[in-house]
Amino acid sequence: MTNQSIVLLINLSIATSIAVSFVGLSRRPLRRAVGAQSAYWLWLMIPGSALAVMIPGPSHRLGLSSWGISQSVSHTLASDASVTYEVIGVLVWALGAAVMLALTVRRQQRFVRSLRPLWWLPNETCRSRGIVEPMLIGAWDPWIVLPADFEARYTQEERVLVLAHERAHVHRGDAPANAIATIWLCLFWFNPLMYWAVRQFRFDQELACDARVLATTGTMRRGYANALLKIQLSVEPVEPVPIGCHWRSGHPLKERIETLKCPLPGAVRRTVGVATALMLIVSGSYAIWAMQPLPHTVQVSGARAVAHRSC
């Protein structure tokens, strides 16, 4: 069981790394062609590839080469490594994941405590003197937090756009998506590619939310850009909220402003974009499923190891 757990973890890491690399290469061209929403949808390839690995692989190779790394690790674990080393490997991974999760929860709790005192308003938002930018806090039941000087800091038009942006995050389910991404990062803490992926995922999320707000509010691009500029330059960049959504981005402000200048795709382009993203997700997940090592590889290696030990 320990051997199978290590092999599964390695296969998941390889599969999702392949998916992240593909998304990283495709997101910008897809965004320019059919809009930010389709590029954001493309990140579903990561859980799709993970699900593909969980499904038993094909009985034949379908013309695709399997993962030599995973096969060699399976052979090594089955033939050379003792059960002790297998247990140590699982314990190291589990300890790292537990530490990452504990630090994330602690950071989230410390940040929420820093917002107090809070007072709620009739428009279902709350105010805090502990922040200078609007944000969404929480995962399954998120709440909008605004700075105490919200009215003085922003114009009427900017306030409308800020609230529209935060409510768009709520309606789109972005806060739960960020929570899942955070948990995923805790599980794959040993893979440096996942840290990059989470940052890019959250940035594409903001671009998709920007596009939705602009599509529903008309041509208020200048006010939107002004609000974004005020928030981005209000204080020094800080570490993103672990579970939630906020306006400030770790990316260059120029990239987000330039995206706001691009014409929004029409209904036809949006439909084509969603269809393209779904096609890429399905085809990519299928390719990863078909590239899995053959099931009998591990069994044969294990049988040889047992025969070798018995001799």
Side-chain angles (χ1 to χ4, degrees):
M1 181 61 69
T2 305
N3 185 358
Q4 295 176 355
S5 300
I6 295 177
V7 172
L8 177 61
L9 185 63
I10 294 174
N11 286 343
L12 283 171
S13 183
I14 294 174
T16 53
S17 295
I18 294 173
V20 166
S21 301
F22 179 82
V23 174
L25 293 173
S26 306
R27 48 193 283 271
R28 289 188 178 180
L30 189 65
R31 185 197 308 157
R32 288 193 294 266
V34 290
Q37 182 63 44
S38 299
Y40 179 54
W41 273 60
L42 196 59
W43 287 101
L44 288 174
M45 185 177 293
I46 283 77
S49 64
L51 180 62
V53 172
M54 303 295 291
I55 299 175
S59 58
H60 55 284
R61 294 194 184 279
L62 300 178
L64 297 174
S65 60
S66 59
W67 301 329
I69 296 177
S70 178
Q71 289 183 353
S72 62
V73 170
S74 301
H75 179 77
T76 301
L77 289 173
S79 59
D80 298 327
S82 65
V83 177
T84 302
Y85 290 110
E86 297 172 14
V87 172
I88 291 176
V90 173
L91 288 178
V92 169
W93 166 77
L95 180 61
V99 170
M100 280 283 294
L101 182 60
L103 291 176
T104 300
V105 172
R106 181 182 178 184
R107 185 156 54 95
Q108 180 80 7
Q109 292 175 341
R110 184 169 62 245
F111 181 81
V112 172
R113 285 196 298 268
S114 70
L115 300 177
R116 299 172 182 169
L118 295 169
W119 60 96
W120 289 85
L121 298 180
N123 60 356
E124 298 182 351
T125 65
C126 60
R127 303 298 175 89
S128 170
R129 294 188 178 91
I131 58 172
V132 294
E133 63 168 316
M135 60 182 60
L136 193 69
I137 302 297
W140 314 121
D141 188 19
W143 31 287
I144 300 173
V145 185
L146 302 174
D149 58 348
F150 184 60
E151 283 75 13
R153 185 180 294 270
Y154 304 101
T155 66
Q156 174 63 28
E157 180 186 49
E158 292 168 355
R159 292 198 298 271
V160 171
L161 293 171
V162 165
L163 288 175
H165 180 95
E166 299 303 332
R167 285 169 178 154
H169 274 309
V170 176
H171 296 154
R172 286 159 36 90
D174 289 340
N178 286 342
I180 294 173
T182 301
I183 295 173
W184 183 271
L185 185 60
C186 292
L187 293 175
F188 293 91
W189 56 269
F190 56 88
N191 190 340
L193 192 59
M194 295 304 166
Y195 295 85
W196 177 87
V198 170
R199 290 195 300 269
Q200 304 305 316
F201 166 77
R202 297 187 71 152
F203 183 64
D204 286 349
Q205 181 184 89
E206 291 300 322
L207 294 182
C209 191
D210 292 344
R212 173 165 178 169
V213 173
L214 291 177
T216 56
T217 57
T219 58
M220 303 171 69
R221 295 176 183 268
R222 181 177 295 275
Y224 201 93
N226 289 337
L228 178 61
L229 184 63
K230 287 181 180 180
I231 294 170
Q232 193 81 10
L233 302 180
S234 57
V235 294
E236 291 297 323
V238 295
E239 191 175 4
V241 181
I243 302 177
C245 307
H246 64 112
W247 274 56
R248 186 184 294 111
S249 171
H251 290 68
L253 179 62
K254 180 180 178 181
E255 183 177 357
R256 194 168 174 186
I257 296 296
E258 288 295 329
T259 305
L260 292 177
K261 296 180 181 178
C262 298
L264 294 175
V268 175
R269 284 178 60 193
R270 289 198 302 269
T271 303
V272 171
V274 172
T276 302
L278 291 176
M279 180 189 67
L280 291 173
I281 293 168
V282 173
S283 59
S285 301
Y286 175 80
I288 289 174
W289 172 78
M291 291 169 61
Q292 292 185 77
L294 295 177
H296 62 73
T297 302
V298 177
Q299 297 174 2
V300 170
S301 300
R304 290 176 179 174
V306 171
H308 175 74
R309 290 173 183 174
S310 62
C311 293

